[in-house]
Amino acid sequence: MRLIRLGTEPSAVGADVRAALTAWGAGGSVLGGVALLGVQPPGCPRPLDAVVVLPRGVLVVVGVDLPEPAVRLEAPLGDRWKTDGWPLIRPDGAVSPAAEALTATTAVARRIQDMRGEPLPVTTVVAVGPYVGQVVQPTADLNRGLRVLHPKPTTLLAAARELATSDRPCSVEHAARLIAVLAPTGSPPGPAELRAEGFSDAAADLASARTMLLPKVGPAAARRRKWLPIAAVAVAGLLALVAIVVAVSSGDASDASPPADAPPEPTTVVVDGRNFTPRGAALSEDCAAHAFGDVQAWLADHECAELRRAQYETAVDGRAVGVAVAELSLPDPARAAELHGLASAAGTGGITALVKEGKSWEGGPSSFDRSAIRVVAKGAKVRVAQAVWARDGSDPADPVLAAVAEEALRLPAGQ
């Protein structure tokens, strides 16, 4: 990643964005690309913390400074943001900072289109600070190419890989033109520098293109070819007639019975740049009934106010991972610490996953046997997180699953 600083970042969290991009290092070993820092493209209503030109997409990074650090941020596009359950009130009365970020992205995309730049996908990253542990976004917002995150090398990298998905990589020539379109002052990096950042060489791509020889068409084939237009017209007419019949019948059906309301889309929770899709939740006041082993015996002899459980689905390098989260509410921190010590030890049992009680989902794991487990106590609450591969076997010592379980400790136990 090559950084070009054109101005001061307009937000305090912009410094974290710059640090995260710097951590990727020069060249295309991690991701490649060119980051324009503190740039305000012509036609854009505000300076931007960064515009990142990648070989397969453009990221518009807009910084948002929160009043104070937050453990949980709810960041819908069309509604008011909430930090740790409290509405985020801004002096200018704006409801969602994400809407302003999308306005900037639209201006950047229009600038690229007006100047006939390379048609790469232009998406939005809203960087929030000074710190946010967990960001909750509606799935519809994620599908629109919007990511809200606290900028770290890992979270920003995950967002870039998810959003920069053009089928055709940007060439060196087009990358230079695109950078010049977004930052008219100064000069873009040279061809050698752009090649080192992962942009393709159009001349080399053209030289490696395969050539296919077409066979010579004889007189008989030529005579047969004259019938093709007539057959095409007949087929087109038949398809048009079928389309009219289908349209009329479907129109009548829609008038007779209005469509049912579509089920609400699940809310995706993002932790450290990883998306977790909810797959069910449950609440019970009988904690021991949903436990096993020594943990069940301990809960049967001690007071436990409630047990919250939830399931999530995520993926690591294309492999599906099932996640189970449980939160137990105990009378005081001393009891929580005692249960934490028991549940953390191997072979002492644990909390029953919802999958075992019949709440599975398509493509999910059949059980949480041999899962990677992480347990933490905070105050009078104990949280247990498990992670397994949805397919094939799992190993409790798998470092990948252990990392997912560690992230899952910050997921909501209720949905």
Side-chain angles (χ1 to χ4, degrees), residues 116-386:
R116 300 180 182 273
E118 179 72 3
L120 292 173
V122 182
T123 49
T124 312
V125 172
V126 181
V128 292
Y131 172 78
V132 173
Q134 170 191 328
V135 177
V136 179
Q137 282 187 263
T139 302
D141 293 355
L142 295 171
N143 294 337
R144 291 186 61 176
L146 172 66
R147 297 292 184 274
V148 181
L149 52 84
H150 176 63
K152 298 190 295 186
T154 53
T155 59
L156 205 53
L157 180 61
R161 286 175 171 166
E162 289 180 1
L163 298 174
T165 56
S166 175
D167 294 334
R168 185 180 64 177
C170 181
S171 68
V172 167
E173 178 184 356
H174 287 154
R177 185 186 310 165
L178 190 57
I179 294 170
V181 164
L182 297 173
T185 58
S187 57
E193 295 171 309
L194 292 175
R195 277 193 293 270
E197 294 297 341
F199 295 98
S200 65
D201 193 327
D205 292 344
L206 185 61
S208 63
R210 297 179 60 186
T211 303
M212 181 176 66
L213 298 178
L214 299 177
K216 183 178 180 181
V217 180
R223 285 195 298 271
R224 288 195 301 269
R225 189 173 56 190
K226 293 179 181 179
W227 289 94
L228 292 177
I230 300 175
V233 171
V235 172
L238 180 59
L239 291 176
L241 180 60
V242 172
I244 292 173
V245 173
V246 171
V248 171
S249 61
S250 63
D252 293 341
S254 62
D255 292 341
S257 57
D261 293 336
E265 294 183 340
T267 298
T268 300
V269 183
V270 181
V271 177
D272 285 347
R274 193 185 307 281
N275 296 335
F276 292 84
T277 302
R279 295 302 183 191
L283 171 64
S284 175
E285 295 181 357
D286 189 348
C287 302
H290 305 285
F292 60 94
D294 294 340
V295 171
Q296 182 183 42
W298 189 93
L299 289 171
D301 293 338
H302 296 80
E303 181 182 354
C304 177
E306 65 177 20
L307 167 65
R308 294 179 178 271
R309 292 176 295 165
Q311 298 181 142
Y312 294 86
E313 182 179 21
T314 187
V316 177
D317 295 332
R319 294 183 65 186
V321 178
V323 172
V325 181
E327 183 180 85
L328 301 101
S329 299
L330 300 170
D332 51 62
R335 298 288 177 88
E338 185 178 344
L339 178 59
H340 171 265
L342 177 64
S344 300
T348 57
I351 304 300
T352 305
L354 291 173
V355 162
K356 194 168 185 178
E357 297 180 355
K359 296 184 178 180
S360 60
W361 69 92
E362 184 178 357
S366 57
S367 75
F368 277 82
D369 295 342
R370 295 186 58 78
S371 60
I373 302 176
R374 290 292 183 269
V375 185
V376 67
K378 186 175 182 180
K381 296 183 183 295
V382 175
R383 292 177 65 88
V384 182
Q386 301 173 255

